[in-house]
Amino acid sequence: MALLRERPTRHRLFAATPATPAAPRKLPGLALAALGVAAAWGIHRIVPAVPMLTAAVVLGIAVAHLPFAQTAVRGAARPGLTFAGKRLMRVGVVLLGLKLSLDDVLGIGWATVAMVLGVVAATFFGTWWLGRKMGLPGDQPLLIATGYSICGASAIGAVSEAGGSDERDTATSVALVTLCGTLAIAVLPLLQGPLGLTDAEFGRWVGASVHDVGQVVATAQTAGPGALGEAVLVKLMRVALLAPLVAAVALSVRRRRRGSWPADEGQKRPPVVPLFVVGFLAAVALRSTGRLPGVALDVAQHAQELLLAAALFGLGSAVHLPSLTRTGGKVAGLGLCAWVVVAGVSYGGVLLTA
């Protein structure tokens, strides 16, 4: 069963923008994205429990629906916002690799590694299968499954790039995963006591079940530094699985579309492994050498957060809430089911590896 369904030729929001628009055409959208990032940073500073990336998505959606901003978002600012959602997302994913080293993976123990692999596999294939059974359009089942199982909006952006997904499918999936991840910040700490989890176990549960890295930090820190450390290590193990998943999607696209590129049209085939995935792996290898100074890692972390915030603001601005009414119930239903799956499977995994 292929990960990506073949679809007839359809309109893509990305197609509305030339493949290589002139720099001046991008400036209005990039300037708007920069303002969105600044606002998201301000919200995070005022309310630390709200991750900057979450705020960026919400602000992007809000701006796209403001009466005085709609025309600009859909017109003059669209090329720059699309550029942010695609290109800046790639750079941010590459820098995400600097958060992970091989020593981190080995340090969490093979039992925990096996638990993470099981959680990711069950969440990904279960969510993807259920989304297709529910009849969600386009690549939404794949993208939502990716966001829940790996690392939220960042993973959705990476997989949509590899598969050439419609921008509307990407934006809808990002909105759903961001909403559920934000709810986890408030809900999961309330369940630590009733579920009988120690601080360390709670941290592993959060790291295995919450989507975005920032949301993991915001959730786990409620149980103290010990829980936070466990959560980040488990979460980074999930992030490490982003590279093989994106490569599998790219291979699936290449295999299913083999022979469909007429030689006289000069269409570019998707690479076997996208370049930004190679960059992600190179960043992991570089971090694993232990030769990067702390200052460089701090700068890279801040740059990664800013780039991903700009990318998610751009993706959020592509969400059109009225158009979601057609599949909104199905999308919400899939999100709830996927949330139950990832939380339940990861809870069982934590108990088995305690």
Side-chain angles (χ1 to χ4, degrees):
M1 185 178 296
L3 291 177
L4 287 170
R5 289 179 287 181
E6 280 298 303
R7 297 183 296 276
T9 302
R10 52 183 168 79
H11 170 72
R12 293 189 178 194
L13 292 182
F14 285 139
T17 303
T20 55
R25 293 194 61 193
K26 301 176 187 176
L27 290 179
L30 291 176
L32 181 58
L35 290 174
V37 172
W41 178 83
I43 291 174
H44 174 63
R45 293 285 294 179
I46 297 172
V47 188
V50 178
M52 186 170 70
L53 300 187
T54 299
V57 175
V58 174
L59 287 172
I61 296 174
V63 168
H65 293 82
L66 293 175
F68 60 86
Q70 286 182 353
T71 301
V73 168
R74 298 174 186 175
R78 192 71 251 157
L81 292 172
T82 297
F83 178 86
K86 292 185 66 177
R87 308 300 182 183
L88 298 188
M89 175 67 76
R90 293 179 182 180
V91 182
V93 169
V94 170
L95 293 178
L96 189 62
L98 292 177
K99 288 180 173 288
L100 181 68
S101 71
L102 296 178
D103 290 339
D104 292 333
V105 176
L106 296 176
I108 66 176
W110 291 110
T112 303
V113 170
M115 181 267 287
V116 172
L117 291 174
V119 169
V120 169
T123 304
F124 178 79
F125 289 108
T127 303
W128 174 52
W129 175 83
L130 182 60
R132 295 194 63 177
K133 287 295 183 182
M134 293 173 66
L136 291 184
D139 290 337
Q140 287 183 22
L142 171 66
L143 298 177
I144 293 171
T146 299
Y148 271 84
S149 61
I150 304 294
C151 55
S154 302
I156 291 173
V159 169
S160 68
E161 278 290 292
S165 301
D166 188 285
E167 189 178 21
R168 288 167 292 187
D169 290 344
T170 304
T172 299
S173 303
V174 165
L176 174 67
V177 170
T178 300
L179 172 62
C180 291
T182 302
L183 292 175
I185 298 173
V187 174
L188 264 59
L190 300 178
L191 299 177
Q192 180 182 0
L195 293 178
L197 295 172
T198 66
D199 289 347
E201 291 170 346
F202 176 72
R204 289 196 292 273
W205 183 45
V206 170
S209 61
V210 179
H211 318 318
D212 181 77
V213 175
Q215 294 164 347
V216 167
V217 172
T219 307
Q221 58 87 27
T222 60
L228 180 58
E230 293 285 339
V232 171
L233 285 177
V234 172
K235 180 60 188 175
L236 291 180
M237 177 60 198
R238 289 170 65 194
V239 172
L241 299 177
L242 176 62
L245 178 60
V246 173
V249 169
L251 286 171
S252 176
V253 173
R254 190 179 181 89
R255 183 178 65 250
R256 288 184 63 81
R257 297 178 184 177
R258 183 177 297 147
S260 64
W261 294 275
D264 57 345
E265 292 186 10
Q267 290 178 292
K268 185 178 179 180
R269 304 187 183 197
V272 175
V273 179
L275 184 60
F276 70 90
V277 175
V278 176
F280 174 86
L281 294 175
V284 173
L286 183 60
R287 173 65 187 270
S288 299
T289 64
R291 296 184 178 181
L292 286 177
V295 173
L297 292 175
D298 290 341
V299 171
Q301 178 177 342
H302 290 309
Q304 172 242 317
E305 291 178 349
L306 294 174
L307 289 168
L308 289 181
L312 295 178
F313 181 89
L315 288 175
S317 70
V319 175
H320 187 234
L321 294 179
S323 67
L324 294 181
T325 57
R326 296 190 298 272
T327 58
K330 293 181 179 180
V331 170
L334 177 61
L336 178 61
C337 292
W339 200 10
V340 171
V341 169
V342 69
V345 174
S346 59
Y347 175 67
V350 168
L351 294 183
L352 288 175
T353 57

